[in-house]
């Protein structure tokens, strides 16, 4: 038996979406809608693994949902919902807590990074985060998971959990081993202030990122002030080696225009940043302003956003609940007829 192809991915509802999230993740989510059955989840249970102000969390859930829709996710085609509203995530997460091994979690590098020096003060939830992530994916028997490079290790853990569950209970192929769809390096958008750091919503400098809600003047200003080196643009892709800031701006241009990097290099070979940056800013404004406009409109209509989430949760639950029941039967928590 092969599993039907199904995509699942999640984004935390913390902070506004920026250009890096759009080019790196959400734009891919939009493209996949036509080829797969897609489930996109606002992972609010993951968000609370670190402290969240309750009102900011409520607002963040709506804001991310609105941003998903403004970027082109279609709530009729795809399932869009927030994790906490479908009980199977937490329920399957508990079963998986009893499948995953301490040694596996001890190897997770993201926990080490996020917990920092004072590991004793990290929440148990932060430690357990990747197990809940496995439950997110496998509650739907999802086969494909679009993620960034930084989530590769978590996806491998999901595969290990699926495999061990199938083996331990003698239910070969019950859970699929989900495949990562890793976004290529080209779509990796770096900070405008430091070409070696990812563009991030947690960077204290707002000048380091382009937010989806920035107005045209702000976008132009941020690109104008973006860090560069003094050399003109090279004539080949190799000429960008060891020039992280130049590579980043060229990469953003390529991603926004849909052109290959080599083509962009041909177009701008020998240009100064003083010439290139305004062209880049114009392109970014052209591509992002429809999204910003739609986002502003959706913010005025929280009733609609809430209805999308309620409908999504209902459809997600209809898939996950029967799978969870089967898990309970397999594990022995629930009797099947005749047992
Ligand atoms: N951990 C992911 C991130 O930070 C978010 C996430 C939660 C996720 N559950 C998921 C991604 C399931 C893919 C599949 O990016």
């Amino acid at each position: 038996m092969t599993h039907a192809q199904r995509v699942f991915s999640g984004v935390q509802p913390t902070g506004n979406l920026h250009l890096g999230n759009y080019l790196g993740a959400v734009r891919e989510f939009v493209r996949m809608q036509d080829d797969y059955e897609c489930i996109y989840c606002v992972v609010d249970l993951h968000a609370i693994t670190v402290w969240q102000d309750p009102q900011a969390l409520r607002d963040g859930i709506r804001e991310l949902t609105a941003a998903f829709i403004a970027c082109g996710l279609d709530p009729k085609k795809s399932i869009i919902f927030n994790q906490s509203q479908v009980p199977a995530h937490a329920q399957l997460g508990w079963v998986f807590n009893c499948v995953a091994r301490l040694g596996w979690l001890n190897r997770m590098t993201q926990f080490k990074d996020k917990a920092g020096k004072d590991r004793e003060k990290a929440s148990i939830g932060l430690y357990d985060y990747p197990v809940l992530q496995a439950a997110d994916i496998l509650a739907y028997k999802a086969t494909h998971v679009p993620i960034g490079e930084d989530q590769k290790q978590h996806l491998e853990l999901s595969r290990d959990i699926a495999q061990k569950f199938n083996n331990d209970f003698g239910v070969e192929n019950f859970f699929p081993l989900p495949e990562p769809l890793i976004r290529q390096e080209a779509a990796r958008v770096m900070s405008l202030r430091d070409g070696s750091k990812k563009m991030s919503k947690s960077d204290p400098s707002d000048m380091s990122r382009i937010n989806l809600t920035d107005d045209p003047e702000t976008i132009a200003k941020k690109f104008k002030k973006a860090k560069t080196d003094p050399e003109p643009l090279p004539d080949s892709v190799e000429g960008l080696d060891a020039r992280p800031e130049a590579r980043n701006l060229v990469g953003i241009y390529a991603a926004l225009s849909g052109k290959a990097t080599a083509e962009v290099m041909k177009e701008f070979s020998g240009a100064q940043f003083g010439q290139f940056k305004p062209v880049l800013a114009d392109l970014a404004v052209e591509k992002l302003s429809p999204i910003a406009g739609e986002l502003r409109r959706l913010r005025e209509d929280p009733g609609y956003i809430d209805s999308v989430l309620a409908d999504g949760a209902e459809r997600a639950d209809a898939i996950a609940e029967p799978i969870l029941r089967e898990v309970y039967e397999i594990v022995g928590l629930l009797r099947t007829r005749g047992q």
Side-chain angles (χ1 to χ4, degrees):
M1 179 189 86
T2 57
H3 292 276
Q5 297 204 332
R6 184 177 278 157
V7 163
F8 183 98
S9 198
V11 179
Q12 290 198 38
T14 48
N16 291 339
L17 280 197
H18 54 68
L19 184 63
N21 304 126
Y22 174 61
L23 293 177
V26 185
R27 200 168 66 155
E28 291 303 311
F29 295 176
V30 173
R31 288 187 182 142
M32 272 181 267
Q33 293 184 114
D34 296 321
D35 302 328
Y36 296 94
E37 178 188 5
C38 295
I39 305 173
Y40 296 121
C41 185
V42 174
V43 290
D44 49 8
L45 296 176
H46 278 107
I48 61 167
T49 58
V50 297
W51 170 251
Q52 300 295 330
D53 173 74
Q55 190 54 42
L57 181 60
R58 282 177 209 114
D59 293 343
I61 293 167
R62 273 190 187 154
E63 179 70 21
L64 178 58
T65 308
F68 272 173
I69 299 168
C71 289
L73 290 189
D74 178 349
K76 295 222 160 58
K77 274 191 208 158
S78 300
I79 295 179
I80 301 171
F81 73 107
N82 57 319
Q83 190 185 25
S84 60
Q85 300 311 300
V86 176
H89 293 254
Q91 293 169 321
L92 185 59
W94 183 260
V95 174
F96 284 172
N97 277 336
C98 304
V99 173
R101 306 288 93 178
L102 215 48
W104 299 358
L105 285 188
N106 283 336
R107 285 195 285 276
M108 295 293 118
T109 57
Q110 185 172 294
F111 173 74
K112 291 177 195 166
D113 292 345
K114 284 199 181 172
K117 281 197 197 71
D118 204 354
R119 211 177 284 184
E120 302 275 309
K121 291 236 166 70
S123 74
I124 307 279
L126 189 67
Y127 183 72
D128 202 29
Y129 180 116
V131 175
L132 180 60
Q133 185 164 345
D136 295 341
I137 298 164
L138 294 167
Y140 303 91
K141 296 190 175 180
T143 53
H144 293 80
V145 186
I147 43 165
E149 187 71 33
D150 62 330
Q151 293 297 310
K152 234 170 111 175
Q153 196 185 33
H154 287 170
L155 203 84
E156 274 156 25
L157 186 91
S158 299
R159 295 167 62 92
D160 289 343
I161 290 175
Q163 182 76 264
K164 187 170 190 317
F165 182 93
N166 292 348
N167 289 345
D168 285 357
F169 294 100
V171 285
E172 202 196 337
N173 210 25
F174 177 76
F175 282 123
L177 305 187
E179 297 282 345
L181 299 172
I182 308 268
R183 296 183 281 271
Q184 322 124 337
E185 214 44 28
R188 199 151 176 230
V189 179
M190 311 304 282
S191 158
L192 299 180
R193 309 300 299 164
D194 178 350
S196 69
K197 283 202 313 213
K198 243 171 82 168
M199 186 175 283
S200 161
K201 49 194 167 193
S202 55
D203 192 314
S205 167
D206 195 55
M207 293 299 285
S208 71
R209 64 184 159 261
I210 305 285
N211 303 304
L212 291 186
T213 46
D214 283 345
D215 57 39
E217 295 71 43
T218 310
I219 292 177
K221 186 176 81 187
K222 286 180 176 175
F223 278 121
K224 190 166 173 216
K225 297 251 168 83
K227 187 177 164 200
T228 48
D229 56 46
E231 304 299 320
L233 284 168
D235 56 10
S236 68
V237 179
E238 298 74 53
L240 293 169
D241 289 350
R243 295 179 67 186
E245 282 82 17
R247 169 192 294 284
N248 187 36
L249 295 184
V250 168
I252 292 173
Y253 187 91
L256 284 171
S257 63
K259 291 179 185 162
T261 315
E263 214 180 316
V264 180
M265 292 332 307
K266 244 193 262 159
E267 202 176 326
F268 291 99
S269 156
Q272 299 291 338
F273 281 105
Q275 297 165 269
F276 178 66
K277 282 173 164 182
V279 183
L280 172 59
D282 285 348
L283 177 66
V285 169
E286 178 197 322
K287 299 286 180 188
L288 297 183
S289 56
I291 296 175
E294 185 62 6
L295 191 48
R296 273 191 291 274
R297 196 184 67 73
L298 289 165
R299 275 178 178 163
E300 299 302 309
D301 198 356
Y304 170 70
I305 300 298
D306 292 350
S307 75
V308 166
L309 289 173
D311 174 65
E314 206 174 297
R315 286 153 64 204
D317 191 66
I319 300 172
E321 204 273 336
I323 294 173
L324 183 81
R325 265 190 93 79
E326 245 189 298
V327 168
Y328 276 19
E329 288 170 0
I330 289 167
V331 173
L333 300 168
L334 197 64
R335 276 180 198 276
T336 335
R337 233 161 297 162
Q339 275 179 325

